Amino acid sequence: VRRHMKIEWSDPMWEDRVRVALGHPRHGWVQLAFMTAAFNQGVIVRCSDVFCPFPAAEAWLRRIKGGQLPARLLIDEEGPSKLLLACPLEADPSRFSFYVSADPYWSGDLTDDKDLLLKCKTDRLQFVRDFGSEVSRWLNEDWTPVLYGGRCDEGDEENHRRATYLTKLDFSALAAE
């Protein structure tokens, strides 16, 4: 977040769509990128298969979709963590404030934003559809179980479990709604 600019949070320049993208940087990891044109912000969250965030992310998106805000999602990057926080906008329940913080204990207090990596206001249902659509696309087109979630030997029961639990998540339903 640009610290040299003192633009009030009430300014409409903070409002924009959040783009979501997933990709494979290397074995056992997936990059989860959030980008917005609101002050040209972007952040990458490293998702580890050891602390896979996707089951919790599905539940988090369902809370956002249902308007059950604030909603927090903590993603453990095998050491550091990133907090994804969705907060209600009282003036417009169809929109919400979206934050990504490097401080897993951040309260949402904008006067203490030294660890804030991204902040914007965005449409609640559009965010859920975009996030759900991207995870669904990634699972169908790019996900390789041996690279994420299947590090054990072939034929190993643990390998099978880890390689199939993501297919049981229903991100496509979130994308379609």
Side-chain angles (χ1 to χ4, degrees), residues 80-99:
S81 296
K82 298 280 190 319
L83 172 66
L84 281 54
L85 182 61
C87 293
L89 288 173
E90 292 180 21
D92 185 355
S94 71
R95 303 182 64 72
F96 73 101
S97 299
F98 176 62
Y99 308 101

Side-chain angles (χ1 to χ4, degrees), residues 67-136:
Q68 300 169 354
L69 304 176
R72 302 167 66 89
L73 175 63
L74 187 63
I75 298 180
D76 187 332
E77 297 178 302
E78 290 190 32
S81 296
K82 298 280 190 319
L83 172 66
L84 281 54
L85 182 61
C87 293
L89 288 173
E90 292 180 21
D92 185 355
S94 71
R95 303 182 64 72
F96 73 101
S97 299
F98 176 62
Y99 308 101
V100 180
S101 176
D103 177 1
Y105 304 105
W106 186 62
S107 67
D109 178 5
L110 289 176
T111 62
D112 178 25
D113 65 355
K114 67 183 181 310
D115 294 314
L116 201 56
L117 304 172
L118 184 145
K119 73 177 183 179
C120 73
K121 299 174 186 175
T122 194
D123 183 87
R124 190 168 46 85
L125 297 180
Q126 184 69 54
F127 178 83
V128 170
R129 279 192 302 267
D130 288 351
F131 197 128
S133 178
E134 176 58 12
V135 175
S136 183

Side-chain angles (χ1 to χ4, degrees), residues 23-31 46-54 76-78 138 143-151 162 165:
H24 282 292
R26 63 179 174 240
H27 185 83
W29 293 87
V30 173
Q31 288 182 337
R46 296 172 300 143
C47 301
S48 162
D49 65 347
V50 174
F51 300 112
C52 182
F54 295 108
D76 187 332
E77 297 178 302
E78 290 190 32
W138 174 73
W143 176 53
T144 307
V146 73
L147 292 178
Y148 185 88
R151 296 182 298 157
R162 294 184 79 190
Y165 77 97

Side-chain angles (χ1 to χ4, degrees), residues 7-17 36-41 89 95-96 119-123:
I7 308 288
E8 293 296 320
W9 184 234
S10 59
D11 193 297
M13 291 178 67
W14 288 109
E15 298 184 24
D16 190 48
R17 185 174 183 172
T36 180
F39 296 102
N40 202 27
Q41 300 173 82
L89 288 173
R95 303 182 64 72
F96 73 101
K119 73 177 183 179
C120 73
K121 299 174 186 175
T122 194
D123 183 87

